[in-house]
Amino acid sequence: MTEPGPGDNQSDMVPNSGGGRGRRGVLMLIPLIVIMMAILFVGLTRNPGEIPSPLIGKTLPAISGVDLDGNTRQLPNIGKPMLLNIWASWCSACVAEHQVIVAAAKRYAGQVDFVGLNYRDKQPDAKRWLSRLGNPYAWSLQDLDGRAGIELGVYGAPETYFIDAEGVIVGKKIGPLNVEYLRDKLVEYFGINS
Amino acid sequence: MLAFLLTGNLSAELIREDAHQRQVLDIAVKLRCAVCQSQSVGESDSELAVEMKAIIGEQLVDGRSEAEIIDYFVQRYGDYILMKPRADGVGSPLWLAPVMVVLLFILVVGWQIGRRAKPANVENQISTQVDQQQRSRLQQLRDKQK
C-alpha cells in the first residue's frame, strides 16, 4: 500500500465538520458560564447591609452639638484614637452590643476614647437607658433630627466609626460590634494590644 | 382690591411652593433610601428619607444645583445611594455590558450566516476533490493488481 494521501484525512473530516462546529460553540460557552457562576457565588456571600463608607481615609466631618448633659461638644476630638458609636434607646440591637462596649471601655480605658452619638432619640429615654445598662461613653452627642447621622453617612443604629488620633476615619462597622471584631480592629487600626 | 392682592400673592406663593416640592422630589427619586433597600428617598416616608428630603429642600433654597446636592449625598453614603449607577468611572461597565453583548451577538450571527451561505459549495468542492483522489487511488490499486 502507498502512503496515505491527504485525501484520507479530508474524507474523515467532511461528515464531522457540521457537528464539530456546534460542539465548539458549546465549549466556548463553558468559560462564560463558569465566570458568571463565580460572580454569582461571590455576590451571594456578600452582605448587602455592609456597604463600604466613602468617608474612610477622610477626616471626620466637623460636627458640633449638645451632649446628653447639656454640654456643648465638638467632633472630631484630636489626640487619641476614638470609637464613635451610633446608638439609641429604641434600638434593640444596641442592647446586646452595649455589653461589648461597656467591657471594652473598661479594658481600653486611657487608650481609646468611647464617644456616643445618640441617634434620633429622646434625651430622657437615652439617659434612662444608660443608667440601666451602664454608660461606657465619655459623652454622647444628641442627634435629635438625625442630621449629624446624615453628615456621617449613617444608615441606622448601631454603627461604629474608628477614628485615629489625627481625626481621620480609618474604619466603619455597620451593625453591632462583637468582642472579637473589636479586639481585632483595635490591633489593626491603632496597634492597641490587650 | 387688597383682598385680591393678598389672594394673588398667596396663590403665587403656593405655586412657588409646589414647584419647589417637585424639584425636591425630582432629586429625591434619584437617591436610594438607605434603610429601605430598593425604594428611593422620593418614595419613602421613613425618618431618614424625610430628613434627606428636608436637606434637599434647604440646599435648593441655598441655590445649589441638582448635581451638587446629589454629590453631597454620594460623598457621605457612596455610589450606593444612587438609584442608577454612574455612567462614568466604575459604573461604566454596567452600562456598556448590554451594548457589548448585543454587538457580539450581531457579529457572531452575521459570521455564522456568512459561513452558512457557502457550505453547499464548499462541500461539493471537497467531495468532488475526494472523489477524484479516491478514483485515482482505486485506479492505482487496480494497476498494481494487474
Side-chain angles (χ1 to χ4, degrees):
Chain A
M1 233 184 107
T2 54
E3 76 277 336
D8 288 49
N9 286 332
Q10 266 182 334
S11 65
D12 282 347
M13 263 171 70
V14 171
N16 276 342
S17 68
R21 200 192 305 149
R23 218 173 300 143
R24 220 176 307 137
V26 174
L27 281 173
M28 271 166 66
L29 277 177
I30 289 174
L32 199 71
I33 292 169
V34 168
I35 290 168
M36 284 167 74
M37 298 254 286
I39 292 171
L40 175 69
F41 278 111
V42 170
L44 285 177
T45 60
R46 293 180 60 175
N47 180 358
E50 272 181 25
I51 308 119
S53 171
L55 291 174
I56 287 169
K58 296 195 179 137
T59 307
L60 188 75
I63 295 166
S64 56
V66 175
D67 71 12
L68 286 172
D69 297 316
N71 306 309
T72 307
R73 299 288 186 181
Q74 228 166 352
L75 285 171
N77 64 341
I78 313 286
K80 208 185 283 178
M82 182 176 89
L83 252 72
L84 181 63
N85 178 240
I86 286 85
W87 66 278
S89 68
W90 49 259
C91 153
S92 51
C94 297
V95 177
E97 184 198 48
H98 206 67
Q99 312 304 318
V100 177
I101 296 173
V102 168
K106 277 191 196 131
R107 187 170 164 186
Y108 300 104
Q111 294 178 281
V112 184
D113 280 340
F114 288 77
V115 172
L117 181 75
N118 186 222
Y119 183 63
R120 291 185 165 280
D121 209 346
K122 296 190 179 77
Q123 190 232 25
D125 293 350
K127 289 191 93 164
R128 212 175 309 130
W129 196 82
L130 286 182
S131 63
R132 187 160 56 89
L133 296 172
N135 186 359
Y137 307 112
W139 43 274
S140 282
L141 194 74
Q142 288 190 65
D143 185 19
L144 298 173
D145 55 11
R147 286 293 175 100
I150 290 176
E151 206 60 44
L152 289 167
V154 166
Y155 294 100
E159 276 181 27
T160 305
Y161 288 86
F162 295 79
I163 300 147
D164 71 12
E166 276 80 50
V168 175
I169 299 171
V170 288
K172 177 186 183 180
K173 167 80 177 159
I174 297 176
L177 296 169
N178 61 52
V179 177
E180 293 77 29
Y181 182 90
L182 189 55
R183 189 188 52 211
D184 292 349
K185 292 300 171 184
L186 287 178
V187 174
E188 185 188 329
Y189 295 143
F190 307 131
I192 294 173
N193 264 305
S194 151
Chain B
M1 186 63 186
L2 190 70
F4 174 76
L5 274 176
L6 274 175
T7 50
N9 264 341
L10 198 66
S11 59
E13 189 63 42
L14 278 175
I15 289 164
R16 234 194 330 270
E17 191 62 19
D18 196 41
H20 175 75
Q21 281 305 323
R22 207 164 29 225
Q23 237 181 325
V24 169
L25 272 181
D26 272 352
I27 297 173
V29 293
K30 289 174 185 151
L31 297 170
R32 188 184 308 282
C33 169
V35 292
C36 21
Q37 301 274 339
S38 53
Q39 258 185 332
S40 77
V41 170
E43 294 157 327
S44 171
D45 284 324
S46 71
E47 288 175 327
L48 184 63
V50 169
E51 206 57 45
M52 282 171 73
K53 274 182 271 194
I55 290 175
I56 295 168
E58 286 162 23
Q59 297 201 355
L60 279 172
V61 171
D62 286 349
R64 291 229 211 168
S65 72
E66 177 178 319
E68 285 172 329
I69 295 170
I70 286 174
D71 205 47
Y72 168 89
F73 289 106
V74 169
Q75 276 173 18
R76 282 151 186 83
Y77 287 94
D79 283 348
Y80 172 81
I81 202 79
L82 300 169
M83 287 301 280
K84 282 186 191 165
R86 282 174 187 273
D88 58 333
V90 281
S92 56
L94 285 173
W95 292 98
L96 285 176
V99 179
M100 297 300 279
V101 167
V102 168
L103 281 178
L104 202 72
F105 180 76
I106 291 169
L107 219 71
V108 168
V109 166
W111 177 59
Q112 286 289 339
I113 288 171
R115 267 183 67 147
R116 214 152 279 178
K118 289 179 205 161
N121 223 338
V122 172
E123 264 160 40
N124 272 346
Q125 273 180 4
I126 291 170
S127 58
T128 49
Q129 204 184 336
V130 168
D131 278 357
Q132 275 172 352
Q133 279 170 344
Q134 282 178 332
R135 228 174 272 141
S136 63
R137 260 187 76 190
L138 200 63
Q139 195 58 48
Q140 277 179 359
L141 287 169
R142 276 189 192 135
D143 289 349
K144 270 189 184 172
Q145 274 183 342
K146 273 181 193 170

